[in-house]
């Protein structure tokens, strides 16, 4: 590892340590910086954002996640002042933003289709906003240099946008948006055009910068892994509404709905009907599990007779070659249908008698296994009661 990379790694670890105690949303006394209250935005007949309420806190790294057309860009444009909501209120630090023009708002937006000034060099593009603000020349030069370093474009400072690749242009747009150090930075798919490696590096750089400059970030990404890596909290959207707002860990481990469970990461869903309760757990009759299921918890609306879905993450399932003792619940019998070897993990697709396939992932912690599981093996998929999440919606 180079000294620079070593330094970056240390910085990144330090961020984790700082951020561990950051949870203003859990503090009833904390006042949100940005507040959407019952915001609706219609374009003619179409509703892009519907009755949406959301609080974002100062210094938060907040990600919006959701399928194409669910209203992410519209929500950002409302905050930046490029759209007025049809109804509802948006406030920043307690101040009503409705009617305030974009350039008077302390929020800067980097657009999904960013427009660089074609006739200006990279450094001039980055400096543009700072010159508008009439910052001292020395300060402008220092910030431009810092930004060029950040996005690794120092050698390209004198080039024009048409002399750059798509990914490089995107980094210029990112640098330009960051250079002004707005209180709130809105980034609409900022890393979209970058290749995987640069994208991952830039994710950590962004997190680092956000902490160092004390900025509040609202970021749209279609990449759920990216959201999980960067965000303090994630909002999952569906057709103009927010389905769940929570930390990445909560979104993954305690999805509120089937939609969220299926949107974030891989998941197996078993349908079933709630039976008897037993010490905080529920027996569930599921056609695909002849011995029945026994699953922890369950939120509102879980009651005997209720039709539910049980969400099971692939890494929480175990694969056995020997049949579990009679009477054990949570056993799915099947046959290994396919195996995907990913190096660190192996994914097994197990076909049940119903014809459904279940995904099971296993960490390859040892190099040699005595009885490797292979294609067409009869296997048993089992899991602990706490591995499942009961979903009523
Ligand atoms: N100016 C407009 N006029 C009419 N409809 C619009 C306008 N802007 C957005 N919409 C519609 O509003 C909905 C939400 O659009 P938006 O751009 O916010 O989606 P998005 O979540 O950002 O999607 P993507 O991930 O594809 O960027 C879409 O159905 C879109 O067609
Ligand atoms: Mg968009």
């Amino acid at each position: 590892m180079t000294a620079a990379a070593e330094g970056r790694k240390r910085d990144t670890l330090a961020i984790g340590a700082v951020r561990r105690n950051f949870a203003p949303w859990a503090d009833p006394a904390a006042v949100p910086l940005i507040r959407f209250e019952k915001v609706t935005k219609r374009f003619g007949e179409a509703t892009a954002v519907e009755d949406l309420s959301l609080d974002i806190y100062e210094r938060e790294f907040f990600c919006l996640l959701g399928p194409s057309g669910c209203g992410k860009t519209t929500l950002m444009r409302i905050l930046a002042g490029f759209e007025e909501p049809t109804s509802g209120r948006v406030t920043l630090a307690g101040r009503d933003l409705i009617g305030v023009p974009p350039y008077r708002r302390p929020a800067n937006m980097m657009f999904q289709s960013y427009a660089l000034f074609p006739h200006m060099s990279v450094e001039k593009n980055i400096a543009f906003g700072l010159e508008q603000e009439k910052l001292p020349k020395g300060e402008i030069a220092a910030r431009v240099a810092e930004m060029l370093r950040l996005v690794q474009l120092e050698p390209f400072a004198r080039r024009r946008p048409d002399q750059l690749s798509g990914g490089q242009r995107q980094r210029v747009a990112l640098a330009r948006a960051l250079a002004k150090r707005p209180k709130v930075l809105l980034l609409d798919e900022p890393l979209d055009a970058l290749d995987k490696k640069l994208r991952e590096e830039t994710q950590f750089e962004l997190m680092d910068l956000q902490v160092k400059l004390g900025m509040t970030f609202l970021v749209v990404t279609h990449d759920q892994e990216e959201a999980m890596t960067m965000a303090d909290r994630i909002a999952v959207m569906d057709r103009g509404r927010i389905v769940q707002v929570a930390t990445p860990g909560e979104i993954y481990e305690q999805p509120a709905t089937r939609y969220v469970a299926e949107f974030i990461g891989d998941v197996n869903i078993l349908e079933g009907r709630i039976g008897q309760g037993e010490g905080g757990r529920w027996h569930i009759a599921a056609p695909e599990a002849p011995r029945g299921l026994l699953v922890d918890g369950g939120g509102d609306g879980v009651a005997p007779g209720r039709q539910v879905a049980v969400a099971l993450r692939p890494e929480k399932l175990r694969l056995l070659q020997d049949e579990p003792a009679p009477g054990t619940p949570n056993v799915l019998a099947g046959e290994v249908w396919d195996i995907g070897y990913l190096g660190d993990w192996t994914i097994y697709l197990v076909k049940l008698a119903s014809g459904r396939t279940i995904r099971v992932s296993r960490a390859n912690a040892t190099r040699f296994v005595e009885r490797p599981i292979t294609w067409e093996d009869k296997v048993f998929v089992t899991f602990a009661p706490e591995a499942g999440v009961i979903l009523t919606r």
Side-chain angles (χ1 to χ4, degrees):
M1 207 186 287
T2 64
E6 193 73 74
R8 261 205 304 280
K9 190 158 171 241
R10 258 201 317 278
D11 281 356
T12 312
L13 294 176
I15 294 170
V18 171
R19 301 300 273 181
R20 204 165 299 147
N21 297 320
F22 181 81
W25 53 86
D27 174 4
V31 180
L33 176 66
I34 299 162
R35 179 152 243 192
F36 291 90
E37 288 172 77
K38 297 181 165 299
V39 171
T40 294
K41 176 67 187 176
R42 292 203 181 84
F43 294 103
E45 294 284 277
T47 306
V49 173
E50 190 160 11
D51 195 31
L52 181 147
S53 296
L54 173 67
D55 288 343
I56 298 172
Y57 293 83
E58 186 158 17
R59 293 169 183 261
E60 194 170 356
F61 199 127
F62 196 97
C63 274
L64 287 176
L65 210 52
S68 183
C70 73
K72 306 179 295 292
T73 298
T74 305
L75 195 63
M76 279 201 168
R77 288 176 58 83
I78 290 172
L79 182 58
F82 300 107
E83 303 284 0
E84 291 294 329
T86 311
S87 62
R89 238 160 68 99
V90 185
T91 53
L92 199 143
R95 182 168 158 234
D96 204 323
L97 283 182
I98 306 302
V100 179
Y103 60 90
R104 310 271 312 259
R105 299 189 184 197
N108 205 2
M109 178 159 176
M110 174 189 161
F111 292 99
Q112 198 167 5
S113 50
Y114 44 86
L116 298 175
F117 303 113
H119 56 286
M120 285 186 196
S121 68
V122 166
E123 54 186 2
K124 282 275 186 314
N125 261 285
I126 298 172
F128 183 78
L130 306 176
E131 282 164 359
Q132 295 289 96
E133 280 185 3
K134 304 218 171 4
L135 286 188
K137 279 212 157 34
E139 165 99 36
I140 295 180
R143 280 214 211 164
V144 170
E146 185 194 358
M147 288 302 131
L148 285 170
R149 201 165 47 243
L150 170 76
V151 296
Q152 299 177 27
L153 285 178
E154 288 143 309
F156 304 99
R158 299 268 147 77
R159 291 213 196 159
R160 285 193 321 269
D162 64 356
Q163 297 166 319
L164 299 174
S165 74
Q168 288 163 344
R169 279 202 287 270
Q170 189 161 36
R171 278 140 70 196
V172 178
L174 182 60
R176 188 176 62 177
L178 282 165
K180 283 179 76 176
R181 295 188 188 162
K183 208 169 163 53
V184 180
L185 188 59
L186 312 178
L187 301 168
D188 200 348
E189 310 220 353
L191 311 180
D192 211 29
L194 308 187
D195 66 42
K196 188 167 158 47
K197 189 158 167 289
L198 188 59
R199 192 174 175 128
E200 281 170 4
E201 273 178 38
T202 313
Q203 285 169 9
F204 286 110
E205 302 282 4
L206 268 183
M207 290 154 72
D208 187 18
L209 204 79
Q210 189 252 353
V211 171
K212 274 194 193 137
L213 300 181
M215 286 155 86
T216 304
F217 276 18
L218 177 58
V219 180
V220 168
T221 171
H222 66 258
D223 180 338
Q224 26 146 318
E225 257 178 53
E226 184 165 291
M228 301 283 279
T229 305
M230 300 195 299
D232 292 308
R233 284 190 306 160
I234 294 173
V236 180
M237 290 182 69
D238 179 23
R239 287 167 292 172
R241 292 172 178 271
I242 287 179
V243 192
Q244 187 173 11
V245 182
T247 63
E250 288 162 351
I251 292 261
Y252 188 81
E253 302 293 352
Q254 292 148 42
T257 69
R258 193 169 164 156
Y259 175 85
V260 174
E262 288 180 326
F263 195 77
I264 314 281
D266 284 328
V267 72
N268 300 291
I269 302 276
L270 296 177
E271 310 276 352
R273 188 180 292 279
I274 299 278
Q276 296 281 47
E278 183 191 311
R281 298 177 166 163
W282 294 98
H283 285 278
I284 299 171
E288 285 169 316
R291 299 180 181 199
L293 304 177
L294 183 63
V295 181
D296 267 11
D300 297 345
V302 178
R306 178 83 190 250
Q307 193 68 33
V308 294
V310 176
L312 293 160
R313 298 286 183 196
E315 75 280 5
K316 298 191 171 61
L317 303 178
R318 271 169 304 158
L319 214 48
L320 304 177
Q321 286 161 303
D322 301 319
E323 186 162 1
T328 329
N330 302 340
V331 178
L332 309 170
E335 187 177 296
V336 175
W337 187 254
D338 210 350
I339 303 176
Y341 177 71
L342 305 178
D344 46 355
W345 288 84
T346 300
I347 311 285
Y348 298 86
L349 293 185
V350 177
K351 195 162 202 163
L352 306 182
S354 65
R356 264 277 298 286
T357 48
I358 296 287
R359 283 173 83 91
V360 182
S361 60
R362 235 165 53 156
N364 294 322
T366 50
R367 282 189 68 197
F368 301 104
V369 184
E370 230 169 84
R371 277 173 69 198
I373 292 173
T374 187
W375 280 268
E376 294 175 21
D377 275 358
K378 298 260 181 268
V379 289
F380 300 90
V381 177
T382 68
F383 55 92
E386 61 270 21
V389 180
I390 303 174
L391 301 171
T392 53
R393 285 182 293 149

